[in-house]
Amino acid sequence: MSMKKFIIPNIVTLFVLSLFWFAGVETIVPGNDTLQKNIKKYVQTQRRIIDNYVDQVDVTELYKNSVKGLVKNLSDSTANLKDTPADTSFGDIKIKSLGESVDKFEQAYLYVTNNYPDENMTERTEDALESMFRGLDPHSVYIEPSLSDDIDDEFSGKFQGIGVQFNVIQDTITVITAIAGGPSDALGIRSGDRITKIDGESAIGFTNEDVRNTLRGPKGSEVDVTIKRPNVKDPIQFTIVRDDIPLYSIGASYMMDDKTGYIKMDKFIQTTHQEFMEAMKELQDNGMERLLLDLRGNPGGYLSQAVAITEEFFPQGTKIVSTKSRHTRFTSAYYSRRDGFFKDKPLMILVDEGSASASEIVSGAVQDHDRGWIVGRRTFGKGLVQQQYELVDSSKIRVTISKYYTPSGRLIQKPYNNKGGEEYAYEIYKRGVDAKGDAMEFVSHVPDSLKFSTDAGRTVYGGGGIVPDHIVQPDTAQSKIVANYMLRNRVGFEFVRDYLDENGDAFREKWEDNYDRFNEEFEWSKEQMDEVFSRLKEKNMVVTDTLSKPEFKSDTLFIPQGHLEEIEWMPRGLIKAELARQVWGLKKYYPVRNKLDETIEEARKMWDEVAKLEEYAASHTIPSKNRY
């Protein structure tokens, strides 16, 4: 069949179908047709971008990027596409409408289909859609169907499965902890258990994805697992009925001292505000007078949850955040709808370069209204709002529809270009180890147009994240070098796992019902720490008398004589925290781990600054500013 005979009938068919799609009519031909589905995905994606993107878009660039993506991964790397519908030189082409873009993309698609019949056109279409987004911002993306459900689960606050946290270690699924209240926890499955079979089939050699695919499933369904438990001769058989497994956004909440409550918030999901209020109630019942809210490493999430958390710290009518767009339907402002339950509670917030989006909304509002003290390092600078849309095959796209501004008018978003997200994503690693120097460099380049004032008249800066009120240097002490090497090589994790294999029953009998005493009194012996360091040496850590400070090269860590003795406290504490995680779960990990955290220790000395800010704000704030 000639290419002409193949293309012309298909173009006519697709043109007719396109008329129906543009008119909003659903598929009129059976829905399993790959060609029809892929072209419809292209139509849906480009239409959503044109209709909703925060800035004006160039349809020509959307089309060009799509065709480049369509052909970039052709299996025939020598393919000559010049002067064909899939030619990516384009010349002086100018696309005037969505209809014209679709028509030309169809021609390129059909040319590839006809001339390269072995190509997987679904994958090539996904390449095209991913490339279409390359001309936009780094947070507008295409999400393939296989990832879509996992991402939805992450932010919905629950998933359905057996309820374990696991790691695949030496080809074997090892339970880290059974999630409290889940079906595995109810059956007595515990940390250290090895899952060797699933539904009678060997699970040895499973990848993380294999584990998720086999252990997750609809609520009420059953799965049989065979478990090898340390110090138990025979395998143990369990039939687990899958159930809703809650996902938590509050990593830890506990009293740091008689007055200070601590909350570690890991992300903003559907249940975050509810979790936060429950944690605050428990802390207040335990005598909390002031709060240290840890948003370090929190990448954000739902805007509604960020607003709900923030308004708990303010009186009714306080402006929290605004969004601006070229579309009026996406331009709005958010105010606290009532007096917050904690509007008079002294507040300190920890942030770093991993704090983004919703974390920056919370910290930006608190700073702009002089409501609390922000401590740490300059935040990521993610101030773009995405809307998610589902496509015909359950894949999804996220399109940036507006930009976040703090109450004083600061744009949270840091600069980006339209050449893809790698440089943008890794910008935080180029800030160096000097947090104060980074902030000074940032501030020194901020033009007057990006200088703003808080309610009380303090100067704050827009154009790239939130600059804290007090900057804390990242811990660059040499004590972290060995500790990081230990974590990277899983030495601490494996040491704790083996320790519990041998001593788990005796340990649990002594400590499991005495966590607070464990936190205060438990210590590793010298012999146990010697064993840890022996394992590090087996992982290419070399002690030498030729160096004055640690040096890493060629996958080997070289440390000077006597260095281990100087920094032994750090790995000792980290392994104790890992022990707490494997026995009690993540919520009991942080109280142990935080004793090693220099940022927290520095912040705890600054409550006088919070009091001074409160006094300053009371005498300088204009009451009506940023209010109704």
Side-chain angles (χ1 to χ4, degrees), residues 422-484:
E422 184 172 341
E423 180 180 344
Y424 169 85
Y426 285 98
E427 177 269 338
I428 57 173
Y429 298 109
K430 297 179 181 178
R431 298 181 186 178
V433 297
D434 184 359
K436 292 184 179 179
D438 161 68
M440 292 175 64
E441 174 73 10
F442 175 78
V443 167
S444 68
H445 286 81
V446 172
D448 289 343
S449 61
L450 292 180
K451 294 179 181 178
F452 298 84
S453 295
T454 69
D455 289 358
R458 297 185 301 143
T459 300
V460 288
Y461 305 92
I466 305 299
V467 178
D469 299 308
H470 179 81
I471 297 167
V472 180
Q473 296 286 95
D475 182 6
T476 58
Q478 296 179 2
S479 58
K480 290 290 289 288
I481 296 175
V482 171
N484 288 337

Side-chain angles (χ1 to χ4, degrees), residues 60-61 102 284 302 308 386 487:
T60 301
E61 289 304 309
V102 174
Q284 292 209 127
Y302 285 125
Q386 283 74 50
L487 294 173

Side-chain angles (χ1 to χ4, degrees), residues 50-291:
I50 292 171
D51 290 347
N52 300 289
Y53 191 65
V54 59
D55 298 321
Q56 196 69 40
V57 292
D58 185 339
V59 181
T60 301
E61 289 304 309
L62 295 179
Y63 161 74
K64 287 182 178 180
N65 287 332
S66 300
V67 176
K68 290 176 183 177
L70 180 72
V71 301
K72 72 176 181 179
N73 289 325
L74 286 178
S75 53
D76 182 0
S77 60
T78 64
N80 183 6
L81 302 175
K82 186 173 176 56
D83 297 326
T84 73
D87 186 356
T88 56
S89 60
F90 300 118
D92 58 355
I93 187 172
K94 182 67 177 176
I95 305 296
K96 299 177 181 177
S97 67
L98 173 59
E100 184 181 355
S101 172
V102 174
D103 179 58
K104 287 189 174 296
F105 182 80
E106 287 171 352
Q107 294 179 44
Y109 181 100
L110 291 169
Y111 179 83
V112 173
T113 301
N114 188 54
N115 288 275
Y116 304 94
D118 294 332
E119 285 294 335
N120 184 323
M121 292 307 296
T122 296
E123 291 182 359
R124 298 293 75 76
T125 302
E126 289 182 340
D127 291 341
L129 299 187
E130 289 174 359
S131 291
M132 187 190 299
F133 283 100
R134 287 187 63 83
L136 306 178
D137 65 274
H139 300 288
S140 293
V141 294
Y142 168 77
I143 304 169
E144 61 186 76
S146 62
L147 298 177
S148 181
D149 289 342
D150 285 346
I151 292 173
D152 287 347
D153 285 344
E154 180 182 350
F155 288 98
S156 69
K158 66 181 180 181
F159 66 95
Q160 295 178 341
I162 70 168
V164 295
Q165 295 176 349
F166 69 90
N167 262 329
V168 177
I169 302 170
Q170 298 173 345
D171 293 331
T172 303
I173 306 165
T174 300
V175 175
I176 305 306
T177 186
I179 297 174
S184 293
D185 179 50
L187 290 173
I189 293 174
R190 67 191 196 190
S191 60
D193 286 347
R194 276 71 152 175
I195 299 176
T196 58
K197 291 183 179 180
I198 300 175
D199 285 332
E201 300 291 330
S202 173
I204 304 301
F206 269 30
T207 64
N208 289 334
E209 185 175 0
D210 293 333
V211 179
R212 284 190 291 270
N213 290 340
T214 53
L215 294 184
R216 287 192 179 188
K219 180 179 181 178
S221 62
E222 294 183 350
V223 60
D224 295 323
V225 300
T226 301
I227 280 178
K228 176 67 177 72
R229 178 166 293 170
N231 300 321
V232 176
K233 181 178 179 182
D234 297 322
I236 308 171
Q237 309 295 329
F238 290 94
T239 297
I240 308 174
V241 180
R242 297 182 178 97
D243 202 348
D244 288 331
I245 310 299
L247 293 172
Y248 298 105
S249 58
I250 302 296
S253 61
Y254 65 96
M255 292 295 295
M256 306 189 82
D257 53 45
D258 292 341
K259 295 181 178 181
T260 310
Y262 171 88
I263 290 181
K264 169 68 174 171
M265 191 175 292
D266 295 322
K267 50 185 173 288
F268 290 81
I269 61 177
Q270 285 182 357
T271 59
T272 298
H273 180 253
Q274 176 185 340
E275 292 178 54
F276 175 75
M277 296 302 287
E278 291 171 355
M280 289 293 284
K281 181 181 185 305
E282 183 176 350
L283 291 173
Q284 292 209 127
D285 289 345
N286 289 324
M288 178 184 67
E289 298 178 11
R290 58 198 186 191
L291 175 66

Side-chain angles (χ1 to χ4, degrees), residues 498-532:
D498 293 344
Y499 170 80
L500 289 174
D501 284 353
E502 294 294 325
N503 307 283
D505 291 339
F507 177 88
R508 287 183 172 88
E509 182 178 350
K510 181 176 181 180
W511 298 104
E512 194 162 25
D513 295 329
N514 295 282
Y515 170 80
D516 290 338
R517 189 163 67 88
F518 162 83
N519 193 7
E520 293 300 322
E521 299 179 10
F522 180 87
E523 292 289 346
W524 298 110
S525 68
K526 181 181 183 304
E527 291 74 22
Q528 287 166 331
M529 291 308 300
D530 288 343
E531 168 66 16
V532 171

